[in-house]
C-alpha cells in the first residue's frame, strides 16, 4: 500500500463544505436502529461546535427506499425531494445536509438529472405546485452529515477525551471504515475522496488516532441492497454479501467498524449474530463480534459521552470490548436503563455470539 | 437457529482455489487444449448439444475453472461424432481431447 | 535303390530332430491355446466348419492358393509372387517327393521323421531304378526352384523396388536369424547332396555339381560336416521360427480355417486376433498401402509394426499405433494373409478404461420421431438420414433432396434439425456400449417412422447401418446405389456431358461396404469416367477420416495432397466422391472442383 | 538543398522521416524536448513479434540521421505564420524560418493512476506495461522477482476503449504487447500462472496470431475474457483482482503477485499545445486531424504542415515508419511543386 498514492487521490476529490447554517433532514430508519446517532449529531454540532443546524418536523422520507425498490417512478421521488427543498427554502437555508446516505445519493442524482435535463426540473416544479402549491430554490450545497463531521474532525479531535487508541498498549485501534454505496459510487466527485478510496471516514479515523484497515472487500456492499433484504427469498443473498466482507476483513483483526449509512451498521451488526447462528462463527476476539458504530457514535465516544446515553446498548454486537480498549468507563448495570433510569429490559442472549 | 434462509453460495470462480492437478495432466496429454479461443464453433455444430447442452468450449472452460461436475455432465452427452474437430479453426483434435478427459476425470468423484 | 547304412541313422540327424520336435510341440501348444481362447460360440463354429464339405474344400483351396502358391502376391507383382511361391511350393514339393521316395524305396523307414529329409545320405541309387532317377530329377528340379526363390529373396533385400515395393519392413534381429538360417538351408542341402551325388546318385543339378567341382566334392572328408551343417541350419531355423516372422507359415494354416468358419476378432490379444498377429509375414505390403506412409514418421505405425509390437507386448507403442490409424482398411484389403489391421486396432481401443461414460437415456426419441414421421399411407417410403458430417457439407443434402423431389419420390428427413449420431465414430473409438445405445435410439426412431427404405449420404453411417443395425424389413441404401437404381429403372435419366470425372472410392463405402460399381455407373451416365492411379480397393484415404484418434489436423495435409495426386493422374476435370468427409477434406486443398455424386446427378438430371 | 524542414519530435517517426529526407538531399532539423532520441521506443525492451531489441531499432534510425541538425532538450516556444512560411522559435534561442514543418510528436502513455479502481500508485504490486519494459531493460524494480511470482495478471485496454477515461479509441498495440510481455514473464517465471484479462483480442498484424497461439499453447498463458472491475490488496500485500469471466458468465477472482496494466496510447498534450500555435485541427480523440484519413493521412489542412506517426492516432512501429517514409516523400513533392 502506497499511502502517498491515496493522498494524491484524496487531494483530487475535495468538495466544498460550508462551515455553518445547515438544513438537516433525518433518515427514515436510523432512529429505530441506532437512536442515539442523529441526536448526538445535533448535539455535537450545536452544543460542542456551536453550529446552526435547523430541522423541521414537516419533512418526510426522501422516497429513496421506494425508489431503489422500484416501487415508485422517478417523478414521484423527485416531487418528494422538491418538497423537501421547498421546506429548506421556506426556512431560509441554502445548505442541505442529509443524515441518510441513500437520501444523499438521491438528492445528488436528482440535482444532476435536473442539471442535464432542465425540462424535467420544470415539470417537477409544476407537479409540486399542483400537489401542494409549493415552490423551492435548489440548495447551494448538498452534504451528507458525515461530510460535516469530517469537516469538523480536527475540532472534535481537539476536544477529545478519548482517542481511537488501545489504552493498554498505546497502539492505534485497527478500524474498518465502511462507506454507504450511495455516498460516492454514483457521483465520485460528490464524495470526499471520491468513489474508490473515499476519505470521509478515513479522515475521522486518522484524526482521532486510529489506523484504517484497507482489506480486499472494502468496497463491497454491506449486503442490505434494499430488495435483497426486503424480499425474504433473497435474504440469503443479502447475508452472503455481509459474510464475504467479514471473511475478507477477518485476517486484519479489526477492533471496530465505522460506517456512515443507515443500513450498513444495522446489517453489519445484526448479520454478525445471524452468521454466528448459521455458521457458528464469530469475527471479534474471544467469541465476541466486531463492534459496528456510526460515525456520530464514535465522535460522541471520543468526546466523552456516556456509552449508554448515546444508545450503544442497542447494538447487537457488544461494544464493551471496544470501550475497554479505549479506556472509556461504563457502568454495566446501567446498560439497560433508559431515560430516567427506566428499565428497558435485557434482551435474550444469542447462542453463539458472545454479548456480555 | 433456522431463519428460513442461509448464506447463499457464491457463484464466483475463485481461481486461487482451483485444483489444477488434473488439468495439468490433461495438458500434458493434450497440449492443444490451451489453444481454444472460445469461438464456439464446436458448440454450435454439436449434434449432442441439442439434447444435452454439450459444448466442447464450455467443457474446456469449466475444467479450467474447476467446474468439473458441470464438464462431466456435458461430456456424458457427447456422441464423439467428430464434427467439432472438423470445424475447429485452431485444428484442435477435440475427439481425442474428449477421450482424454474421459480418462483423466472421473464421474464417480464428482 | 539300396540303403547305405544298416542302422539308417547318423548323429547329424539329431539337430534336425530336435528342431522339428520343438517346432511341432510349439505349434501344437499354440494352436490349442488359440482355440481355447476363442469364445465358446466361435469355438463351436470352428469345429463344426470341418463337417461342412463346402468350407472344408475352401479351407484346402485357400491353404494351397495362399500358403503355397501365394496367388494374391502373384496378382500384386509376378516377381514377388514367384519368389514366395517358389520357396513355399518348392520346399513343400521337396518334402512331399522325399516322402514318396521313402514310401517307394524304404517303406520300413517311413516312421523315421528325418529319413525323407536326409534321403540322399542314407539311400543310394542303383543302376536298375529308373524311378529313382525320375524322383532324383524332380528333387533336383524343385531344389533349383527353391534356390531361385532364395536368390530372388537376396536381391529383394537389396532392392525391393524390383518387386513393386517402395518400402519394406525393417527386420528385427530374430527375423535376421531366421532369414539367414532359411537362406542357408537350401544351398547347404545342395552342397550336401553334391557330396553324395557320386555315391548315392543325383540328377542334373547335384550330379553336375559333383562333376564340375569334383576336386572338392569328391573328397568325402567334408561330406559329413556338410550334412551336419544342413541339419543344423534346419534346427536353427525351426528353433528360431516362433520368434521370427516365419511363424506366419504354420499360423496361416490355422488362420485360414478359422476365417472360413466365420470367426471374428473379439479381443486384440486373444484367439482369432492372435492368429492374425502371428500370421503376419512382415512382408510390408501394408507399409506402401498405408495413407499415413507419405510421411516417413508414420511408417512404424503401419499394421506390420502393430503386429510386431503386439508380439512383443510393447504396450505403449501398441496404444500409440492403434490410436493413430485412420482405419481406412487398405492394409486389410491388400494383406496377403488377411490380417485385419483396422479391426485389430478397434479391438485394442476397446480395452481402454474411461471414467466418464456417455448416457443418452435422456434423449427424447418421441420428438425426433415426430419430426420425421410420414403423414398419409405408409409403405414404400424413403427416410433420408443425411448424417452429422453432411450437415457440414449442405450441398450434398440439398442435391439429394432435389433429386428426390424432382424424381417425385416421397421422403422424410430423419435429421433435418440434427439427429443422433449413427454410432460409427464412437464404435471406431472402441467404445461399444455407447455406440450400441445410439444404435438402439436410432433404430427406435427409424422403426417408428414407418419407413421402408433408409437412404444414407454418409458412408460412415452406411457401414454401421449395414453391419451393426438390425433393421429387418427396411432397406438400407447409400445414395450412390439408390441413384444407380433410379437410372437403371428409368425413373430418372441423366444428360451426358464431356466432363471428365475421376471417382474417389471413400474408404467406408468401397473397402468398407464393397460398393464400387454403382457410383461409377452413375458417373458414367453423366460424363466421362476416368480412373485414379490407385482405385477400387486400392483407393487412398482422403486423410480426413474419423478413424484416427490422434492424428492432428496439421499431420493430415500431406495425406490429402497424396490422395489428390493419385486422383488427378488422368487429368480429370472434376473429382467426384460420395462421402461428406472426403468432400470437405478434398475441398480444402484440391486444385479443381470436388463434388459429391448427388450434385452431379442433380445437375445433369433431365 | 537549402530548404529548412523542421521535424518536431525525435521519436521513431521523426528519425525515420529525417533519414529519408537526408537521402533525398535535404538537411532536416530535428527538435526533441527530451535529452535523447528515440521517444517511447527508447524506453522499450524489445518488440513483437520477433522480439527485436528496441535499442537496435533506435540505433539504426538514429544512425541514419547523424548528419542532421538535432536539438535535444529543446521545446518549441512559438510558431508564427509568415506569408508562405513559418517562423519557429525554439527554447534554446534559435529561430528557424521554414516552409515545411513535420509533426512527429507522437503519443503519451495513458496515466494508469486515472483508473483509480486498479490502484496504480496505491497498491505496490500494480505496475504498468512501461514499468515492466523498464524492468526487462534494466532489471531495476524491487516489485518484480523480490517475492515469489506465482501468479501474474495483465489487464488489457487500460484507458483505451474507455469513454469514462476519455479515450474511446483502441490503442492497437496493447493486445500484442500484453501477449509479448506475458510470454516474457512466463520465460522468466516458468512456474507462474499468467492471466490476461481482455475484452477483445485484436491480433491484426503480421504474425500476431501465431504469437497469440504460441502464448496459449507453448507458454500456457491463460486468457480470460472480461475486464477487471476492481483491484484490492490483501494482508500479504498481494493483489486481489475481480473480473467477470464473460465466457463462463460468472464473476471470477484471483490473487496475483503482480498486476500489469496495459496503459494505452492517448494524445500527447505537448503535441496539442504546439498544434494550437499554428493552429491545427484536432480530432474527436484529441489526436491531430489529418486532411483525409485514407488519402492524405500525412497532410494537415495547412500548407507545409505534415504529420507522421502516432500524433494522428495509435500506431504500431512499422506503421509509424511507413508513414514517416510516406511523409518524407510528400514533403519532397511539396517542395518540388513550390
Amino acid at each position: 500500500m502506497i499511502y502517498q498514492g491515496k493522498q494524491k487521490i484524496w487531494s483530487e476529490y475535495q468538495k466544498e463544505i460550508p462551515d455553518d447554517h445547515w438544513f438537516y433532514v433525518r433518515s427514515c430508519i436510523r432512529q429505530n436502529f441506532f437512536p442515539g446517532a442523529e441526536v448526538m449529531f445535533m448535539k455535537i454540532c450545536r452544543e460542542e461546535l456551536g453550529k446552526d443546524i435547523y430541522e423541521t418536523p414537516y419533512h418526510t422520507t426522501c422516497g429513496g427506499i421506494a425508489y431503489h425498490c422500484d416501487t415508485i417512478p422517478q417523478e414521484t421521488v423527485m416531487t418528494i425531494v422538491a418538497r423537501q427543498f421547498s421546506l429548506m427554502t421556506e426556512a431560509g437555508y441554502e445548505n442541505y445536509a442529509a443524515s441518510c446516505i441513500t437520501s444523499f445519493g438521491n438528492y445528488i442524482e436528482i440535482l444532476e438529472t435536473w442539471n442535464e435535463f432542465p425540462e424535467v426540473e420544470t415539470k417537477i416544479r409544476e407537479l409540486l405546485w399542483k400537489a401542494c402549491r409549493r415552490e423551492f430554490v435548489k440548495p447551494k450545497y448538498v452534504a451528507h452529515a458525515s461530510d460535516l463531521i469530517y469537516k469538523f474532525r480536527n475540532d472534535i479531535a481537539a476536544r477529545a477525551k478519548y482517542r481511537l487508541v488501545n489504552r493498554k498498549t498505546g497502539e492505534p485501534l485497527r478500524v474498518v471504515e465502511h462507506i454507504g454505496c450511495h455516498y460516492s459510487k454514483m457521483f465520485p466527485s460528490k464524495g470526499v475522496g471520491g468513489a474508490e478510496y473515499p476519505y470521509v471516514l478515513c479522515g475521522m479515523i486518522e484524526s482521532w488516532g486510529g489506523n484504517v484497515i484497507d482489506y480486499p472487500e472494502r468496497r463491497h456492499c454491506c449486503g442490505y441492497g434494499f430488495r435483497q433484504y426486503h424480499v425474504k427469498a433473497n435474504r440469503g443473498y443479502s447475508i452472503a454479501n455481509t459474510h464475504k466482507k467479514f471473511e475478507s476483513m477477518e485476517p486484519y483483526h479489526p477492533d471496530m467498524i465505522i460506517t456512515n449509512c443507515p443500513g450498513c451498521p444495522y446489517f453489519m451488526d445484526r448479520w454478525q449474530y445471524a452468521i454466528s447462528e448459521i455458521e457458528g462463527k464469530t469475527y471479534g476476539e474471544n467469541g465476541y463480534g466486531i463492534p459496528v458504530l456510526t460515525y456520530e457514535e464514535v465522535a460522541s465516544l471520543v468526546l466523552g459521552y456516556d456509552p449508554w446515553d448515546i444508545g450503544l446498548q442497542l447494538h447487537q454486537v457488544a461494544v464493551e470490548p471496544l470501550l475497554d480498549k479505549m479506556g472509556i468507563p461504563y457502568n454495566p448495570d446501567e446498560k439497560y436503563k433508559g431515560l430516567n433510569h427506566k428499565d428497558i429490559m435485557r434482551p435474550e442472549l444469542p447462542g453463539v455470539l458472545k454479548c456480555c | 437457529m433456522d431463519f428460513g434462509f442461509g448464506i447463499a453460495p457464491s457463484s464466483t470462480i475463485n481461481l486461487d482455489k482451483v485444483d489444477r492437478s488434473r488439468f495439468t495432466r490433461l495438458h500434458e496429454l493434450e497440449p492443444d487444449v490451451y489453444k481454444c479461443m472460445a469461438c464456439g464453433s464446436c458448440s454450435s455444430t454439436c449434434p449432442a448439444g441439442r439434447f444435452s447442452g454439450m459444448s466442447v468450449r464450455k467443457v474446456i472452460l469449466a475444467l479450467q475453472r474447476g467446474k468439473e461436475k458441470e464438464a462431466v455432465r456435458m461430456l456424458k452427452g457427447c456422441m464423439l461424432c467428430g464434427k467439432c474437430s472438423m470445424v475447429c479453426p485452431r485444428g484442435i483434435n477435440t475427439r481425442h481431447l474428449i477421450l482424454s478427459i474421459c480418462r483423466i476425470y472421473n464421474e464417480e468423484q464428482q | 535303390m539300396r540303403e547305405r547304412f544298416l542302422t539308417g541313422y547318423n548323429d547329424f540327424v539329431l539337430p534336425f530332430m530336435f528342431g522339428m520336435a520343438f517346432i511341432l510341440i510349439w505349434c501344437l501348444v499354440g494352436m490349442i491355446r488359440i482355440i481355447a481362447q476363442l469364445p465358446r460360440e466361435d469355438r463351436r463354429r470352428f469345429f463344426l466348419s470341418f463337417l461342412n464339405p463346402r468350407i472344408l474344400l475352401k479351407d484346402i483351396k485357400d491353404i494351397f492358393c495362399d500358403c503355397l502358391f501365394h496367388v494374391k502376391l502373384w496378382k500384386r507383382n509376378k516377381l514377388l509372387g514367384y519368389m514366395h511361391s517358389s520357396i513355399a511350393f518348392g520346399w513343400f514339393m521337396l518334402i512331399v517327393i522325399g516322402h514318396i521316395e521313402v514310401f517307394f524305396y524304404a517303406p520300413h523307414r517311413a516312421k523315421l521323421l528325418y529319413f525323407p529329409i536326409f534321403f540322399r545320405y542314407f539311400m543310394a541309387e542303383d543302376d536298375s531304378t529308373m524311378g529313382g532317377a525320375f524322383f532324383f530329377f524332380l528333387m533336383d528340379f524343385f531344389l533349383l526352384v527353391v534356390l531361385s526363390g532364395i536368390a530372388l529373396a537376396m536381391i529383394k533385400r537389396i532392392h525391393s523396388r524390383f518387386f513393386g515395393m517402395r518400402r519394406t519392413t525393417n527386420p528385427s534381429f530374430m527375423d535376421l536369424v531366421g532369414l539367414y538360417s532359411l537362406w542357408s538351408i537350401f544351398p547347404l542341402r545342395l552342397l550336401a547332396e553334391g557330396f553324395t551325388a557320386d555315391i548315392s546318385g543325383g540328377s542334373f543339378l547335384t550330379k553336375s555339381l559333383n562333376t564340375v567341382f569334383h576336386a572338392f566334392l569328391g573328397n568325402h572328408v567334408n561330406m559329413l560336416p556338410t550334412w551336419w551343417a544342413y541339419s543344423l541350419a534346419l534346427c536353427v531355423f525351426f528353433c528360431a521360427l516362433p520368434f521370427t516372422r516365419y511363424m506366419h507359415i504354420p499360423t496361416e494354416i490355422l488362420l485360414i480355417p478359422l476365417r472360413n468358419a466365420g470367426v471374428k476378432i473379439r479381443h486384440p490379444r486373444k484367439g482369432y486376433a492372435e492368429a492374425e498377429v502371428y500370421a503376419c509375414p512382415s512382408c510390408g505390403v501394408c507399409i506402401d498401402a498405408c495413407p499415413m506412409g507419405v510421411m516417413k514418421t508414420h511408417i512404424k505405425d503401419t499394421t506390420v509394426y502393430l503386429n510386431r509390437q503386439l508380439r512383443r507386448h510393447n504396450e505403449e507403442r501398441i496404444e500409440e499405433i492403434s490410436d493413430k490409424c485412420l482405419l481406412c482398411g487398405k492394409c486389410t484389403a491388400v494383406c496377403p494373409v488377411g490380417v485385419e489391421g483396422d479391426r485389430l486396432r478397434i479391438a485394442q481401443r476397446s480395452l481402454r478404461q474411461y471414467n466418464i461414460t456417455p448416457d443418452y437415456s435422456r434423449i427424447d426419441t418421441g420428438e425426433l420421431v415426430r419430426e420425421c414421421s410420414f403423414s398419409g399411407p405408409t409403405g414404400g417410403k424413403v427416410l433420408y438420414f443425411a448424417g452429422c458430417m453432411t450437415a457440414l457439407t449442405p450441398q450434398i443434402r440439398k442435391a439429394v433432396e432435389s433429386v428426390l423431389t424432382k424424381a417425385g419420390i416421397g421422403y422424410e428427413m430423419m435429421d433435418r434439425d440434427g439427429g443422433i449420431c449413427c454410432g460409427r465414430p464412437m464404435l471406431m473409438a472402441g467404445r461399444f456400449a455407447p455406440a450400441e445405445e445410439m444404435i438402439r435410439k436410432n433404430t427406435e426412431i427409424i422403426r417408428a417412422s414407418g419407413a421402408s427404405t433408409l437412404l444414407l449420404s454418409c458412408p460412415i453411417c452406411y457401414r454401421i447401418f449395414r453391419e451393426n443395425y438390425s433393421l429387418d424389413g427396411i432397406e438400407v441404401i447409400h445414395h450412390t446405389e439408390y441413384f444407380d437404381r433410379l437410372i437403371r429403372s428409368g425413373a430418372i435419366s441423366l444428360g451426358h456431358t464431356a466432363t471428365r470425372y475421376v471417382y474417389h472410392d471413400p474408404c467406408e463405402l468401397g473397402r468398407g461396404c464393397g460398393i464400387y460399381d454403382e457410383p461409377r455407373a452413375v458417373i458414367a451416365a453423366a460424363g466421362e469416367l476416368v480412373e485414379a492411379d490407385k482405385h477400387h480397393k486400392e483407393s487412398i484415404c482422403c486423410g480426413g477420416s474419423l478413424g484416427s484418434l490422434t492424428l492432428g489436423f496439421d499431420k493430415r495435409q500431406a495425406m490429402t495432397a497424396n490422395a489428390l495426386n493419385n486422383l488427378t493422374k488422368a487429368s480429370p476435370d472434376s473429382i467426384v466422391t460420395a462421402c461428406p468427409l472426403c468432400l470437405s477434406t478434398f475441398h480444402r486443398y484440391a486444385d479443381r472442383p470436388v463434388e459429391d455424386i448427388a450434385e452431379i446427378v442433380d445437375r445433369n438430371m433431365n | 538543398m537549402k530548404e529548412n524542414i523542421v521535424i518536431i519530435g525525435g521519436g521513431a517517426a521523426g528519425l525515420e522521416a529525417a533519414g529519408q529526407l537526408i537521402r533525398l538531399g535535404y538537411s532536416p532539423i530535428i527538435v526533441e524536448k527530451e535529452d535523447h532520441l528515440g521517444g517511447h521506443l527508447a524506453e522499450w525492451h524489445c518488440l513483437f513479434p520477433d522480439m527485436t531489441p528496441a535499442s537496435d531499432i533506435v540505433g539504426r534510425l538514429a544512425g541514419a540521421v547523424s548528419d542532421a541538425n538535432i536539438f535535444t532538450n529543446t521545446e518549441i516556444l512559438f510558431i508564427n505564420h509568415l506569408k508562405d512560411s513559418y517562423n519557429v522559435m525554439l527554447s534554446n534561442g534559435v529561430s528557424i524560418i521554414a516552409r515545411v514543418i513535420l509533426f512527429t510528436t507522437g503519443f503519451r502513455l495513458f496515466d494508469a493512476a486515472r483508473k483509480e479502481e486498479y490502484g496504480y500508485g496505491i497498491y505496490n504490486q500494480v505496475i504498468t506495461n512501461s514499468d515492466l519494459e523498464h524492468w526487462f531493460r534494466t532489471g531495476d524494480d524491487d516489485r518484480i522477482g523480490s517475492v515469489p511470482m506465482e501468479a501474474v495478471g495483465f489487464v488489457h485496454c487500460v484507458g483505451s476503449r474507455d469513454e469514462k477515461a476519455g479515450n474511446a479509441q483502441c490503442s492497437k498495440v496493447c493486445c500484442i504487447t500484453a501477449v509479448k510481455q506475458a510470454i516474457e514473464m512466463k520465460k522468466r517465471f516458468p512456474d507462474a500462472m499468467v492471466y490476461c484479462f481482455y475484452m477483445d483480442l485484436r491480433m491484426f498484424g503480421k504474425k500476431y496470431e501465431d504469437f497469440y497461439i504460441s502464448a496459449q499453447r507453448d507458454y500456457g498463458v491463460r486468457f480470460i475474457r472480461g475486464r477487471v472491475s476492481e483491484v484490492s490488496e490483501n494482508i500479504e500485500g498481494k493483489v486481489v483482482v475481480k473480473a467477470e469471466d464473460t465466457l463462463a458468465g460468472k464473476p471470477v477472482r484471483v490473487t496475483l503477485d503482480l498486476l500489469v496494466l496495459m496503459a494505452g496510447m492517448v494524445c500527447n498534450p505537448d503535441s496539442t499545445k504546439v498544434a494550437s500555435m499554428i493552429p491545427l485541427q484536432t480530432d474527436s480523440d484529441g489526436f491531430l486531424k489529418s486532411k483525409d484519413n485514407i488519402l492524405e493521412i500525412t497532410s494537415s489542412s495547412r500548407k507545409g504542415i505534415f504529420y507522421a506517426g502516432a500524433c494522428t492516432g495509435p500506431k504500431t512501429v512499422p506503421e509509424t515508419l511507413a508513414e514517416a517514409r510516406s511523409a518524407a516523400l510528400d514533403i519532397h513533392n511539396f517542395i518540388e511543386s513550390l
Side-chain angles (χ1 to χ4, degrees), chain D residues 119-139:
Chain D
Y120 180 65
I122 289 176
Y123 305 129
N124 206 40
Q125 293 306 102
V126 178
I127 67 169
T128 64
N129 43 1
S130 163
D131 296 340
L132 188 59
E133 287 293 331
H134 177 79
W135 179 71
F136 287 150
R137 215 157 43 82
T138 62

Side-chain angles (χ1 to χ4, degrees), chain A residues 108-302:
Chain A
I108 297 288
E109 186 184 339
I110 288 169
L111 287 171
E112 288 294 312
T113 309
W114 289 348
N115 227 3
E116 294 282 331
F117 306 98
E119 69 278 12
V120 177
E121 186 187 334
T122 315
K123 189 182 165 196
I124 298 302
R125 284 181 186 280
E126 282 169 18
L127 289 175
L128 183 68
W129 182 254
K130 270 188 205 163
C132 47
R133 297 279 182 274
R134 281 177 176 277
E135 282 175 310
F136 68 93
V137 176
K138 284 190 282 183
K140 219 171 187 174
Y141 296 99
V142 176
H144 182 251
S146 63
D147 292 342
L148 268 66
I149 297 292
Y150 164 78
K151 188 174 173 73
F152 305 133
R153 67 193 188 281
N154 293 327
D155 300 323
I156 291 170
R159 290 177 169 76
K161 292 214 175 79
Y162 304 99
R163 288 172 61 75
L164 299 178
V165 170
N166 189 319
R167 183 62 68 87
K168 281 193 196 117
T169 63
E171 293 283 322
L173 293 182
R174 295 175 297 266
V175 185
V176 159
E177 45 93 34
H178 176 83
I179 307 287
C181 291
H182 295 156
Y183 176 65
S184 59
K185 279 178 185 166
M186 294 184 286
F187 297 95
S189 64
K190 304 292 177 191
V192 176
E196 294 293 335
Y197 311 93
Y199 187 56
V200 60
L201 294 180
C202 289
M204 294 180 207
I205 295 163
E206 284 177 354
S207 179
W208 301 339
N211 242 359
V212 180
I213 286 171
D214 191 343
Y215 60 108
E217 297 293 357
R218 173 178 53 76
R219 299 170 174 100
H220 207 77
C221 168
C222 66
Y224 177 19
F226 299 89
R227 278 168 293 185
Q228 275 62 42
Y229 175 76
H230 290 310
V231 180
K232 190 176 176 185
N234 292 344
R235 235 167 252 178
Y237 178 61
S238 165
I239 194 169
N241 280 282
T242 316
H243 179 246
K244 190 181 198 172
K245 277 187 85 75
F246 278 104
E247 286 292 313
S248 177
M249 72 174 77
E250 188 188 13
Y252 296 83
H253 305 294
D255 295 308
M256 68 187 296
I257 299 169
I258 303 186
T259 63
N260 70 344
C261 174
C264 308
Y266 184 75
F267 283 93
M268 293 177 82
D269 185 52
R270 305 302 200 265
W271 277 151
Q272 284 195 65
Y273 151 72
I275 290 168
S276 74
E277 292 294 326
I278 294 168
E279 297 260 289
K281 186 166 180 183
T282 53
Y283 293 93
E285 289 162 11
N286 311 318
Y288 285 93
I290 305 170
V292 187
L293 281 78
T294 70
Y295 60 97
E296 298 104 324
E297 289 169 342
V298 178
S300 308
L301 281 180
V302 163

Side-chain angles (χ1 to χ4, degrees), chain D residues 73-315:
Chain D
N73 284 322
T74 307
E75 290 187 45
I76 310 281
L77 288 185
F78 59 82
I79 300 175
N80 287 336
H81 198 167
L82 306 176
K83 189 168 170 285
D84 52 0
S85 61
Y86 300 91
N87 175 25
V88 183
M89 186 69 201
L90 305 182
S91 60
N92 58 4
V94 177
S95 153
I96 308 160
I97 307 287
R99 286 195 291 184
V100 177
I101 301 175
L102 174 62
F103 274 75
T104 54
T105 43
F107 64 95
R108 180 171 285 187
L109 217 53
F110 175 78
D111 174 17
R114 284 185 50 208
K115 293 295 291 177
E116 289 161 18
E117 62 269 41
Y118 295 162
Y120 180 65
I122 289 176
Y123 305 129
N124 206 40
Q125 293 306 102
V126 178
I127 67 169
T128 64
N129 43 1
S130 163
D131 296 340
L132 188 59
E133 287 293 331
H134 177 79
W135 179 71
F136 287 150
R137 215 157 43 82
T138 62
D140 177 23
D141 196 326
D142 296 340
R143 294 171 291 187
I144 312 166
S146 57
V147 288
M149 290 277 139
E150 283 163 13
V152 177
F154 287 84
V155 185
H156 292 225
C157 300
V158 175
S160 310
R161 307 178 71 197
D162 185 345
E163 292 184 26
K164 294 266 176 71
N167 300 299
Q169 79 277 4
C170 164
S171 287
K172 223 172 183 181
V173 298
C174 326
C175 280
I176 183 71
T177 304
V179 169
K180 185 207 75 150
Q181 294 188 337
I183 288 177
E184 286 191 83
M185 286 307 272
K186 202 69 185 163
K187 280 183 185 163
R188 285 166 167 83
F189 306 102
D191 297 329
M193 285 299 292
V194 176
Y195 301 97
C196 283
F197 294 90
Y198 70 96
M199 299 196 280
D200 268 340
L201 280 172
R202 301 190 160 181
M203 295 294 157
F204 57 91
K206 187 176 168 70
K207 284 167 83 177
Y208 289 11
E209 186 72 9
D210 299 352
F211 215 56
Y212 169 40
I213 295 179
S214 168
Q216 286 179 289
R217 185 191 49 200
D218 307 332
Y219 295 95
V221 175
R222 307 312 308 130
F223 289 84
I224 298 174
R225 186 171 170 275
R227 196 154 175 270
V228 169
S229 64
E230 62 181 51
V231 176
S232 42
E233 196 176 81
N234 73 7
I235 195 158
E236 297 162 304
K238 293 186 177 191
V239 186
V240 182
V241 162
K242 283 191 193 176
E244 187 193 348
D245 182 348
T246 58
L247 296 175
K250 299 242 161 61
V252 61
R253 56 173 289 158
V254 61
T255 309
L256 303 170
D257 298 295
L258 188 72
L259 183 70
V260 186
L261 306 179
M262 303 309 296
M265 289 187 191
V266 297
C267 66
N268 183 354
D270 293 340
S271 170
T272 317
K273 200 176 93 192
V274 178
S276 67
M277 297 170 185
I278 296 177
L280 299 168
Q281 277 182 294
T282 52
D283 231 328
S284 58
D285 55 8
F287 288 92
L288 299 180
K289 188 171 179 169
S290 294
K291 198 168 173 189
D292 185 278
N293 279 328
I294 295 167
L295 287 169
E296 291 177 280
I297 194 98
T298 57
S299 302
S300 75
S301 45
R302 286 190 182 269
K303 207 175 156 191
I305 309 285
F306 294 88
Y307 302 139
C311 63
T312 55
K315 292 196 179 78

